[in-house]
């Protein structure tokens, strides 16, 4: 990585941007690992933790266009340093949070906003500092750094939560932040030579549009996709005021706001006024299809890992650290594959990268199939390992080439703008993965527990009453520990049925997990079809980036 690009970046500078991505990935991946401890400490629910993670990704994705606007106005490096300070404050407040509300604000809002420039700047610096093979090596190295952060968050965070407290699980992120702060002087000073007004209207429209959609999806398990499972009220006012769940209402409002956002962007562009994004890349079919392909991969892998962190403790009776050890083969395998490709870049010369991406998607589908087959009543950690390893190999192959193939539809000058679109869309994929697959797991598990208990008691209920009981059980599953849930159900059921709660609950969890795997497999099929539109090789335009007048 010694070929100069348009800026100079030394070893310390590369360590700084790598550790930044490591820190972000650690902080996000630690949350699923410590969910049980937080739920127990705050007497809260898994649903709230899921919503916090969804909101974090939402804030990061929605604030990204505004961040790029701020970078063009004030310079990327100053915005990065501001984000670093705000991130430290957010993580510290998260670890010290006295209640769930404070944790949500500090982690989802403060760190979500701060993470936006911390995610985009490392990739922008790598684009400007390296050319050709050196750029490919730098990009793969940044993927490895992010993957190692995710691995450390699940493993180290789970261990700290099990041995000490979930609050200590955030300490490593603060340590890494201090190291990045010490190394920040080695970063190139990227200062803009022109100032462009900030499009605050576009920023608000994009944020609220995406926000309403994702919040609606995350609430679907609790309120229902169409038929209302329970009423949604604000200050005693029922919303909506008719027999419809709040979920489609929120999604519809979000789509309308995104429509206004697109209209506003076109209006600003036609008048040559400040706009959040120049939508040139979004008019290019190849870039959009590649973007959606990468987003679906993020949706699948993030959602399944999130579900495994909920399923494994119930099915295998493991603590957070043991759960992380069970799931970790996926991350380790993915990192090994990416590192091997980093050392053997000629692979992309011998085999068209498009086919490597296709192979990765097929292996992910095979891994999902192996996970599905392994879901039996007497499941063990070893049973899950083959599927996780095959999925890890597939993700490693996929991630090594997908971004370069996506950018093949863009010109070299459009690549910085592309990064401002590509990264937040992946965060959007993370939100959708947790919301859709996580909702499927809880919903189907709750339904099958209720139906199983009713069958054993030889009873039937009217659909309305049955749905109400399912909704109540969903809330209990996300709030109570397994022991507390079993004790609560035992007190409300006939003595002859109580001993059956454990096997019925395990079978219901298996059904919920299988259903989420089938949804993930469907998404994998769509991902493969979209990947068929990718070019065989990355565009040669990105082997050498031209000088750009916007930076000095």
């Amino acid at each position: 990585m010694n070929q100069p690009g348009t800026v100079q970046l030394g070893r310390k500078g590369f360590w700084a941007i790598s550790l930044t991505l490591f820190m972000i990935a650690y902080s996000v991946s630690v949350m699923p690992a410590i969910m049980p401890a937080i739920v127990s400490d705050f007497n809260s629910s898994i649903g709230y933790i899921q919503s916090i993670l969804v909101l974090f990704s939402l804030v990061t994705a929605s604030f990204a266009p505004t961040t790029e606007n701020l970078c063009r106005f004030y310079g990327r490096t100053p915005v990065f340093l501001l984000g670093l300070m705000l991130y430290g404050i957010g993580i510290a407040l998260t670890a010290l949070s006295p209640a769930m509300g404070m944790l949500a604000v500090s982690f989802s809002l403060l760190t979500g906003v701060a993470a936006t420039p911390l995610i985009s700047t490392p990739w922008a610096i790598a684009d400007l500092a390296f050319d050709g093979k050196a750029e490919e090596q730098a990009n793969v190295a940044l993927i490895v750094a992010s993957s190692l952060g995710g691995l450390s968050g699940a493993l180290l965070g789970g261990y700290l939560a099990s041995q000490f407290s979930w609050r200590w699980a955030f300490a490593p992120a603060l340590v890494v932040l201090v190291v990045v702060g010490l190394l920040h002087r080695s970063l190139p000073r990227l200062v803009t030579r022109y100032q462009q007004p900030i499009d605050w209207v576009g920023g608000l429209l994009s944020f609220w549009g995406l926000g309403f959609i994702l919040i609606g999806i995350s609430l679907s398990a609790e309120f229902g996709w169409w038929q209302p499972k329970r009423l949604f009220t604000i200050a005693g006012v029922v919303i909506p005021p008719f027999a419809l769940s709040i979920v489609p209402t929120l999604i519809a409002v979000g789509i309308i706001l995104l429509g206004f956002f697109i209209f506003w962007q076109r209006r600003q562009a036609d008048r040559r006024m400040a706009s959040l994004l120049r939508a040139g890349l979004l008019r290019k079919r190849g870039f959009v299809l590649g973007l959606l392909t990468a987003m679906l991969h993020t949706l699948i892998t993030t959602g399944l890992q999130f579900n495994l962190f909920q399923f494994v403790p119930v099915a295998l009776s493991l603590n957070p650290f043991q759960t992380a050890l069970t799931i970790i083969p996926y991350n380790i395998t993915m990192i090994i594959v990416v590192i091997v490709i980093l050392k053997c870049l000629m692979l992309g010369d011998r085999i068209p990268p498009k086919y490597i991406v296709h192979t990765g998607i097929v292996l992910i589908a095979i891994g999902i199939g192996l996970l599905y087959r392994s879901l039996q009543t007497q499941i063990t950690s070893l049973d899950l390992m083959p599927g996780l390893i095959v999925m890890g190999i597939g993700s490693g192959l996929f991630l090594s080439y997908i971004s370069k193939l996506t950018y093949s539809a863009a010109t070299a000058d459009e690549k910085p703008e592309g990064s401002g679109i590509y990264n937040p869309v992946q965060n959007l994929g993370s939100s959708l993965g947790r919301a859709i697959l996580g909702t499927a797991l809880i919903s189907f598990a709750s339904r099958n527990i209720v139906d199983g208990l009713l069958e054993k008691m030889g009873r039937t209920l009217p659909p309305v009453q049955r749905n109400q009981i399912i909704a109540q059980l969903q809330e209990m599953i996300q709030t109570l520990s397994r022991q507390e849930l079993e004790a609560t159900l035992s007190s409300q059921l006939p003595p002859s049925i109580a001993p059956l709660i454990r096997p019925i609950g395990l079978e219901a969890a298996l059904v919920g997990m299988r259903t989420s795997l089938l949804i993930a497999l469907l998404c994998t099929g769509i991902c493969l079809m979209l990947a068929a539109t990718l070019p065989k090789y990355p565009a040669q335009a990105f082997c050498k980036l031209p000088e750009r007048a916007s930076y000095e």
Side-chain angles (χ1 to χ4, degrees):
M1 286 182 279
N2 55 2
Q3 298 181 31
T6 58
V7 300
Q8 296 296 322
L9 182 68
R11 290 185 179 274
K12 289 184 178 180
F14 192 79
W15 272 107
I17 61 176
S18 299
L19 287 174
T20 299
L21 293 178
F22 176 96
M23 175 185 66
I24 301 295
Y26 176 94
S27 302
V28 174
S29 63
V30 80
M31 289 296 285
I34 64 177
M35 276 192 302
I38 297 178
V39 169
S40 176
D41 195 10
F42 290 149
N43 191 27
S44 183
S45 73
I46 292 175
Y48 281 117
I49 308 299
Q50 177 182 345
S51 298
I52 287 173
L53 283 168
V54 168
L55 187 59
F56 172 89
S57 298
L58 161 67
V59 171
T60 304
S62 302
F63 195 68
T66 300
T67 296
E68 292 302 308
N69 222 190
L70 291 172
C71 290
R72 291 194 293 265
F73 192 85
Y74 295 106
R76 187 171 293 278
T77 306
V79 174
F80 174 84
L81 295 177
L82 179 62
L84 198 64
M85 291 186 290
L86 185 60
Y87 197 84
I89 295 172
I91 290 295
L93 291 177
T94 298
L96 298 173
S97 296
M100 183 60 71
M102 183 65 181
L103 186 143
V105 171
S106 56
F107 186 83
S108 298
L109 298 182
L110 290 181
T111 62
V113 169
T116 310
L118 301 184
I119 293 172
S120 61
T121 297
W123 297 103
I125 290 177
D127 288 342
L128 292 167
F130 303 107
D131 299 323
K133 293 295 184 183
E135 182 184 358
E136 293 183 8
Q137 291 176 332
N139 288 337
V140 174
L142 292 180
I143 293 174
V144 171
S146 182
S147 301
L148 286 173
L151 176 65
S152 301
L155 197 58
L156 180 58
Y159 175 78
L160 292 174
S162 299
Q163 299 298 317
F164 304 100
S165 167
W166 65 266
R167 300 179 188 275
W168 285 101
F170 292 100
L174 290 174
V175 172
V176 175
L177 186 140
V178 171
V179 175
V180 174
L182 295 175
L183 295 174
H184 85 273
R185 293 184 182 276
S186 59
L187 295 176
R189 184 169 179 77
L190 304 179
V191 181
T192 55
R193 289 181 176 175
Y194 65 89
Q195 292 186 341
Q196 178 177 344
I198 299 173
D199 181 15
W200 295 110
V201 174
L204 288 173
L205 287 173
S206 65
F207 177 81
W208 286 113
L210 291 172
F212 277 112
I213 292 173
L214 289 179
I215 291 173
I217 293 173
S218 67
L219 292 176
S220 59
E222 185 176 358
F223 292 91
W225 281 102
W226 189 260
Q227 293 291 334
K229 295 180 179 179
R230 52 183 294 191
L231 297 179
F232 182 86
T233 61
I234 298 178
V237 179
V238 177
I239 302 176
F242 36 83
L244 181 68
S245 169
I246 187 62
V247 172
T249 305
L250 291 174
I251 293 176
V253 171
I255 292 174
I256 292 171
L257 288 174
L258 286 182
F260 280 121
F261 168 72
I262 295 173
F263 169 79
W264 176 262
Q265 293 301 291
R266 289 179 176 176
R267 174 183 177 277
Q268 294 294 92
D270 291 341
R271 298 186 179 187
R272 297 185 178 181
M273 298 174 67
S275 60
L276 212 58
L277 290 173
R278 299 189 309 272
L281 275 177
L282 297 180
R283 297 191 184 100
K284 296 189 175 181
R285 179 175 175 270
F287 180 81
V288 172
L289 291 175
L291 192 70
L292 293 176
T293 304
M295 188 191 76
L296 277 175
H297 169 267
T298 304
L299 183 155
I300 295 162
T301 55
T302 302
L304 286 183
Q305 287 186 87
F306 181 83
N307 279 2
L308 285 170
F309 271 105
Q310 298 183 71
F311 170 78
V312 169
V314 174
L316 282 68
S317 300
L318 301 180
N319 63 33
F321 178 63
Q322 293 168 330
T323 299
L325 285 177
T326 300
I327 301 171
I328 227 65
Y330 167 81
N331 305 80
I332 292 177
T333 307
M334 181 182 66
I335 293 171
I336 291 174
V337 171
V338 172
I339 291 176
V340 169
I341 292 178
L342 172 65
K343 298 296 184 181
C344 307
L345 285 173
M346 70 287 297
L347 178 66
D349 297 329
R350 297 176 179 176
I351 304 175
K354 174 180 180 177
Y355 298 153
I356 297 176
V357 169
H358 287 182
T359 302
I361 298 173
V362 171
L363 287 175
I364 291 172
I366 293 173
I368 292 173
L370 291 174
L371 284 177
Y372 187 93
R373 289 189 60 186
S374 70
L375 296 180
Q376 305 296 330
T377 304
Q378 301 298 325
I379 188 172
T380 66
S381 297
L382 291 177
D383 294 330
L384 295 173
M385 188 175 293
L388 292 170
I389 290 175
V390 173
M391 278 188 64
I393 296 172
S395 285
L397 294 173
F398 181 91
L399 290 173
S400 298
Y401 289 101
I402 183 59
S403 62
K404 291 188 285 291
L405 293 178
T406 300
Y407 288 126
S408 292
T411 64
D413 288 334
E414 290 174 324
K415 194 173 182 183
E417 179 188 348
S419 299
I421 300 172
Y422 187 90
N423 292 323
V425 168
Q426 303 319 303
N427 289 323
L428 185 61
S430 297
S431 296
L432 290 172
R434 296 188 185 101
I436 295 174
L437 298 185
T439 297
L441 173 62
I442 298 296
S443 298
F444 281 92
S446 302
R447 187 191 69 181
N448 280 274
I449 290 175
V450 171
D451 291 344
L453 291 174
L454 289 175
E455 181 182 355
K456 293 297 181 182
M457 291 188 294
R459 295 182 55 188
T460 58
L461 295 175
V464 175
Q465 187 178 357
R466 172 180 171 271
N467 291 336
Q468 289 175 347
I469 294 176
I470 292 174
Q472 292 173 1
L473 183 59
Q474 287 176 358
E475 186 174 351
M476 292 169 61
I477 289 176
Q478 297 181 85
T479 304
L480 304 177
S481 66
R482 190 188 75 228
Q483 294 80 7
E484 292 172 335
L485 178 61
E486 291 179 2
T488 302
L489 292 177
S490 297
S491 65
Q492 300 176 5
L493 294 171
S496 60
I497 301 298
L500 302 176
I501 293 175
R502 170 66 178 165
I504 289 175
L506 178 57
E507 184 60 37
L510 290 170
V511 170
M513 193 65 201
R514 290 186 188 119
T515 303
S516 68
L517 286 171
L518 290 176
I519 295 173
L521 193 59
L522 175 62
C523 293
T524 306
I526 299 173
C527 186
L528 184 60
M529 289 189 291
L530 290 174
T533 64
L534 297 173
K536 284 188 176 181
Y537 292 92
Q540 295 298 317
F542 294 123
C543 293
K544 174 67 176 161
L545 291 177
E547 296 285 338
R548 284 195 281 268
S550 57
Y551 295 109
E552 63 178 17

